[in-house]
Amino acid sequence: MKRILNNLLLLFVGGVAALMVSCKDDDKTSGNTDREFMTMFITENTQGKGSEYPYNCGIDAAYPHGNTAHLYWFGVKDCVGYQVQMAYQSKVTGGAAAWASVQGTSDLVLDTIVGPDVLDLRVYDLPYNTNFRCAIRALSKKDNNVTDFSHASKWYGHGEGRQWAEYCGIKTNTRYATPVVIYVNESEITETTMNVYLRSKVADLAEYMDMSLDQSKLEVASYFENFHLSADSAFGYKYLMVSPSPSNPNASVAQKWKKYEITAADRARGYITIDGLSANSTYVIDVVDPTVSISVDAKYNTLTKVTDGKPGAPITLKYDSLMNIADELPLPDDNTVKRADVFALAKQYNAAPISPALSDFISDTKYAQGQIFYLEGGKTYYLDGNDRTCKGFTLATRPEDVAKGLRAKIISGIGQHPRYSQGTDGKQWQGPYSMFMFGRSPEPGEGGEIRMKKLEFRDLDFDNPEALNYGDNQAGLGTAAGNYFFNMYSDGMAVTLDSLVIENCNFKRLVRGFIREQGPNYKVWNHVLIKNNLFYDCGFYNQNAGGYSWIAGINQPGSNLYMDMKVIENTFYDSPFPSFFNESNTENERDNGTWNITFSNNTLVNFNTRASGAIFNMRNLPDKSVFTVQNNLLVLCKQAGDQRVLGFWGADIRGTQEKKDGSAGVVTLNFSNNWSTNNDLTNGSIFSAAPWTSTSNNFGKLVKEGTAIINGTLEVNVASVSATELMVSPCPPTIANTASAQHMHRAEALDGSASEYNVDLHIKHTDNEIVTNNVGAARWR
């Protein structure tokens, strides 16, 4: 775009750098050549003075609670003023159309016009721990700036295609320590009622505050500093307020519960029964102290709870029906473009969209958790990507098709969205994506956790056919894909998932990770079963494998993904990710609970040969945890002439969690009947480094120090058979002549059915210890 700048003057007005510009734009896409110059917020990216520049937009340190934002911007000469807006980030990431959709709604938290000499603005008392996006435009004297803005500059921050990277994002700080004075017993929730329990005094928090004495003192001190408490330490909340979540605004709530005055009888009883609610609906629950004038500080802990419901009959997403209406189906989170344009590649893959149906399920209160969705075997479907999973459901191939040997295929990563810049291949790239997002970002006013029931995937083939890995990148094809099966938004709500089941599925071309949790809020999985799956042509995100661990991100206080995790009968073939089990929390004080991990009857061929990606990489094992590692087959192999290095790391274990009495925790290790083939060993071991028996940073160290009880042996037995003697064709199909050969980790099938990049792991030699001892995944025996 060509601009003629008549005057460029850098001034400092009240300490704020103001860029005063008179300009004419010779290439306005709107055809208007007389618009004001587009100003910008002052950020690290726009002023070039680094992160410590005192006039960067951000949280105002003069306000101790960390929820007051201070915006600064460059001035435009001869403009009549500026229009400044702020919105919840989750509502406007869709760009200009998304900003248009929030105008006049509560999702737009600021919309104001200031004069031409005003170059900064404070926005007070914003919700805590929340991401916001800001936008600004310069206003013209030629408009009335009420109904006519035709000569105003373009918006900075609305994300008009090329301006997508030009935004100002601000996140407020986490709220000061807040007492959990209300809670709901999940087991008592019905379709129309829930009991909200009350903690009226500081002493009532004793059972909840399971932390050190010093921590308790600090938190209680915060309560007296930031909340109104009576002389006998009673909390000052007076009203209970219940409202439908913005995700289902039409859910029923009786007028009395919108602002209910809590009685002495309620406090004596200890709970209030909320009735008249809608089934399958999300509600936001607060208790409020009316003597506190600032809304966000008048509230105590916020709850977000979902009423119960009965799932309907299984729904079959019929392929032909979806294909007939595919182009007309909306994009669930973006109405700025047409599905036919974004997912033009769907026709190439003969794939039908299922994201609209899954999105409707998430948002529609007619559907209860536990809904089953069947796909037709032998058909291909596609996901838009980043599909939310904040309600439990089952996605599976129809049982009658499975009985015939037919499976549904689900692909992702085929979108070419104009919102994102072009990749090196000249295509519009969809951006970092996952097939599914675990949980969701909070709606305005929400807090607490999402409670999900069973989430199940069964008898499905998942693929990302357009995804590139590091080898493709080195071959000049484009950027390695930042994709996952599950990812999570950085501001995602706390989640408790009752059950995650992934059974009898195939996974291909997941490049950056498998399951990644992130963000400051806790995540709890009560039960996990990952069984009888195939993983191949995954990983290889960079030269050293890179990306994330297979199961990544449980470092937040209160998180526990390993409460009951069973990983059994799976095959992991030449997919270089970092470790499988990962936990890097070095703090001794954690309230996560114990771990019960089973890793048994798995077949691992070239698990991660690129870097020190151990199976177990854990820093602080909770007391009384149990590891059951049995009947696994560990294999390394390559063809003659292949130059790749075959490495295999066992574990990186640093210690156990300190107990409250100061002593070290003790864990139980049930290790037995693990075997390897007899080729490509290092000092007689399948592990080239960090074997489980090591007494330095490993399970062997815990046994030596007395912090682990061993049942069985940490040794991996060596069978009297090599990989190529045992299996039909186990070696990587590509003979690599460099460490980054494009197809060196590629496999199209593991059962001998592929026309190229073929692998066959079926057992051909049955007279050996591996077969006799039922080692590895049973499907190959």
Side-chain angles (χ1 to χ4, degrees):
M1 182 182 297
K2 180 182 177 183
R3 286 195 174 100
I4 302 172
L5 304 181
N6 297 322
N7 291 301
L8 183 61
L9 178 62
L10 185 63
L11 301 175
F12 285 86
V13 180
V16 181
L19 182 64
M20 309 300 290
V21 180
S22 174
C23 68
K24 182 177 180 181
D25 191 334
D26 287 343
D27 186 23
K28 300 294 188 185
T29 57
S30 66
N32 187 341
T33 60
D34 203 17
R35 297 179 69 168
E36 293 293 339
F37 181 71
M38 186 178 76
T39 184
M40 298 184 293
F41 286 115
I42 301 175
T43 69
E44 184 177 356
N45 293 326
T46 60
Q47 45 76 6
K49 298 179 184 295
S51 60
E52 300 303 316
Y53 185 60
Y55 303 110
N56 285 337
C57 294
I59 296 301
D60 196 322
Y63 295 82
H65 286 168
N67 65 329
T68 291
H70 201 155
L71 303 176
Y72 300 91
W73 56 88
F74 295 107
V76 175
K77 185 177 181 180
D78 293 333
C79 76
V80 74
Y82 307 92
Q83 185 176 8
V84 185
Q85 295 188 339
M86 176 183 283
Y88 291 100
Q89 174 181 293
S90 61
K91 297 298 183 180
V92 295
T93 52
W99 276 94
S101 70
V102 302
Q103 301 300 310
T105 74
S106 59
D107 295 328
L108 190 68
V109 298
L110 172 71
D111 183 11
T112 189
I113 291 177
V114 297
D117 297 327
V118 177
L119 298 173
D120 73 307
L121 179 69
R122 286 188 177 91
V123 189
Y124 298 95
D125 303 320
L126 292 163
Y128 292 98
N129 194 32
T130 302
N131 286 293
F132 297 93
R133 288 278 176 89
C134 308
I136 188 170
R137 64 179 173 181
L139 304 180
S140 173
K141 298 175 181 177
K142 298 178 182 180
D143 304 327
N144 64 25
N145 296 309
V146 177
T147 59
D148 179 17
F149 296 91
S150 57
H151 294 87
S153 74
K154 291 185 178 181
W155 283 101
Y156 174 86
H158 272 201
E160 295 181 49
R162 288 165 296 177
Q163 299 169 11
W164 181 245
E166 300 173 8
Y167 70 87
C168 175
I170 292 178
K171 183 178 181 180
T172 52
N173 293 351
T174 301
R175 192 182 183 186
Y176 44 82
T178 302
V180 179
V181 299
I182 54 172
Y183 67 97
V184 170
N185 187 332
E186 297 283 342
S187 65
E188 297 174 349
I189 295 177
T190 71
E191 294 184 27
T192 59
T193 66
M194 62 179 72
N195 294 331
V196 178
Y197 287 84
L198 308 173
R199 296 182 174 116
S200 295
K201 295 185 177 182
V202 172
D204 298 336
L205 301 174
E207 60 178 286
Y208 159 72
M209 297 179 68
D210 183 18
M211 57 184 71
S212 70
L213 180 61
D214 288 342
Q215 270 186 298
S216 298
K217 288 180 179 178
L218 287 173
E219 287 222 356
V220 171
S222 173
Y223 303 161
F224 279 94
E225 177 183 355
N226 294 302
F227 296 88
H228 290 176
L229 275 70
S230 66
D232 61 350
S233 298
F235 296 112
Y237 63 82
K238 182 177 181 181
Y239 295 106
L240 173 74
M241 304 176 71
V242 182
S243 60
S245 164
S247 64
N248 46 226
N250 296 322
S252 299
V253 58
Q255 187 65 34
K256 65 178 290 189
W257 302 123
K258 294 180 179 180
K259 189 175 181 181
Y260 173 79
E261 186 170 352
I262 299 169
T263 67
D266 295 327
R267 294 181 186 274
R269 188 188 315 110
Y271 69 90
I272 300 170
T273 299
I274 311 300
D275 57 11
L277 305 176
S278 300
N280 310 316
S281 299
T282 303
Y283 291 90
V284 180
I285 306 168
D286 285 294
V287 287
V288 175
D289 183 347
T291 65
V292 177
S293 60
I294 298 172
S295 173
V296 293
D297 294 311
K299 299 176 181 178
Y300 285 71
N301 65 296
T302 297
L303 301 179
T304 302
K305 294 298 176 183
V306 182
T307 50
D308 205 2
K310 296 181 177 63
I315 297 172
T316 298
L317 301 179
K318 295 184 178 180
Y319 176 84
D320 288 339
S321 298
L322 290 173
M323 288 296 282
N324 288 336
I325 60 173
D327 289 349
E328 285 72 45
L329 290 173
L331 298 177
D333 296 312
D334 192 345
N335 60 4
T336 65
V337 289
K338 295 180 179 179
R339 176 172 294 278
D341 295 332
V342 175
F343 293 101
L345 284 175
K347 290 182 171 60
Q348 175 182 320
Y349 291 102
N350 294 317
I354 58 174
S355 293
L358 296 180
S359 179
D360 286 347
F361 160 73
I362 294 297
S363 60
D364 196 329
T365 59
K366 295 195 302 289
Y367 299 110
Q369 295 205 60
Q371 180 65 53
I372 297 174
F373 293 97
Y374 285 134
L375 304 180
E376 296 181 69
K379 305 294 185 181
T380 300
Y381 300 81
Y382 76 88
L383 293 165
D384 293 359
N386 293 350
D387 287 43
R388 290 169 295 174
T389 58
C390 50
K391 288 167 67 173
F393 63 90
T394 294
L395 188 62
T397 299
R398 288 189 306 190
E400 59 267 34
D401 293 336
V402 175
K404 298 174 185 177
L406 299 174
R407 296 159 63 90
K409 183 176 184 178
I410 300 177
I411 64 175
S412 188
I414 62 171
Q416 296 177 358
H417 201 298
R419 180 188 309 159
Y420 298 97
S421 60
Q422 290 187 343
T424 56
D425 57 358
K427 296 179 179 179
Q428 298 288 348
W429 181 52
Q430 193 183 20
Y433 67 90
S434 69
M435 289 186 155
F436 295 99
M437 299 300 288
F438 189 63
R440 61 175 172 83
S441 298
E443 294 284 350
E446 288 186 328
E449 70 167 7
I450 296 171
R451 184 86 184 207
M452 296 170 61
K453 295 185 178 180
K454 187 176 185 179
L455 189 59
E456 181 174 11
F457 303 90
R458 191 175 66 249
D459 301 319
L460 297 167
D461 294 338
F462 292 98
D463 192 7
N464 297 266
E466 296 288 314
L468 304 179
N469 61 24
Y470 180 72
D472 299 317
N473 170 260
Q474 292 300 290
L477 298 184
T479 306
N483 66 344
Y484 315 81
F485 181 54
F486 267 102
N487 195 4
M488 188 173 191
Y489 291 113
S490 59
D491 64 346
M493 296 177 69
V495 181
T496 294
L497 174 62
D498 286 343
S499 176
L500 173 63
V501 176
I502 305 172
E503 186 170 4
N504 197 29
C505 294
N506 296 341
F507 294 92
K508 293 174 63 176
R509 287 180 271 257
L510 294 170
V511 179
R512 199 175 189 192
F514 179 50
I515 295 176
R516 178 196 180 200
E517 303 283 14
Q518 63 170 326
N521 299 311
Y522 65 82
K523 300 95 186 170
V524 175
W525 297 353
N526 291 330
H527 305 283
V528 179
L529 177 64
I530 302 174
K531 180 180 180 181
N532 199 32
N533 304 290
L534 303 181
F535 300 90
Y536 54 102
D537 201 4
C538 293
F540 198 19
Y541 182 68
N542 60 27
Q543 177 66 30
N544 294 320
Y548 289 88
S549 299
W550 288 87
I551 309 291
I554 69 161
N555 303 322
Q556 302 80 9
S559 291
N560 191 342
L561 308 187
Y562 302 140
M563 192 176 300
D564 174 29
M565 177 172 282
K566 294 181 173 64
V567 182
I568 57 178
E569 291 284 352
N570 302 287
T571 299
F572 301 94
Y573 185 85
D574 199 19
S575 292
F577 284 123
S579 52
F580 190 90
F581 299 99
N582 177 267
E583 184 275 338
S584 58
N585 194 326
T586 58
E587 298 178 5
N588 272 324
E589 287 295 341
R590 269 205 329 257
D591 55 354
N592 303 28
T594 61
W595 299 341
N596 191 340
I597 294 174
T598 299
F599 189 76
S600 295
N601 284 100
N602 299 294
T603 294
L604 288 72
V605 180
N606 292 2
F607 176 70
N608 179 3
T609 60
R610 301 198 66 86
S612 55
I615 300 173
F616 300 92
N617 186 352
M618 296 171 157
R619 293 292 182 270
N620 216 13
L621 281 56
D623 181 43
K624 299 181 181 179
S625 293
V626 178
F627 292 76
T628 300
V629 183
Q630 300 171 332
N631 310 323
N632 296 295
L633 173 59
L634 313 181
V635 176
L636 290 171
C637 62
K638 63 181 179 180
Q639 297 186 62
D642 195 325
Q643 300 302 304
R644 79 184 69 208
V645 176
L646 294 180
F648 199 167
W649 290 259
D652 185 346
I653 304 294
R654 299 302 172 92
T656 59
Q657 183 179 338
E658 186 178 286
K659 295 189 288 188
K660 290 184 178 180
D661 63 4
S663 61
V666 178
V667 300
T668 299
L669 308 177
N670 301 318
F671 279 58
S672 66
N673 200 40
N674 298 296
W675 289 78
S676 77
T677 54
N678 66 7
N679 60 289
D680 294 290
L681 305 180
T682 300
N683 298 323
S685 171
I686 192 65
F687 295 124
S688 57
W692 295 335
T693 55
S694 173
T695 55
S696 174
N697 293 337
N698 221 300
F699 290 112
K701 173 189 176 183
L702 304 187
V703 175
K704 180 180 178 181
E705 294 176 346
T707 55
I709 301 168
I710 179 68
N711 297 315
T713 176
L714 296 174
E715 295 282 356
V716 176
N717 304 296
V718 179
S720 57
V721 63
S722 70
T724 53
E725 292 170 339
L726 177 68
M727 298 171 171
V728 174
S729 182
C731 297
T734 298
I735 297 176
N737 55 12
T738 70
S740 57
Q742 180 180 358
H743 302 300
M744 64 186 298
H745 298 290
R746 186 135 290 148
E748 284 298 329
L750 302 183
D751 61 358
S753 63
S755 58
E756 62 176 345
Y757 305 113
N758 185 52
V759 174
D760 192 342
L761 300 183
H762 284 104
I763 301 295
K764 65 179 181 180
H765 187 298
T766 59
D767 186 16
N768 58 75
E769 303 93 330
I770 291 169
V771 175
T772 301
N773 289 289
N774 296 317
V775 177
R779 67 163 68 212
W780 307 120
R781 293 197 300 271

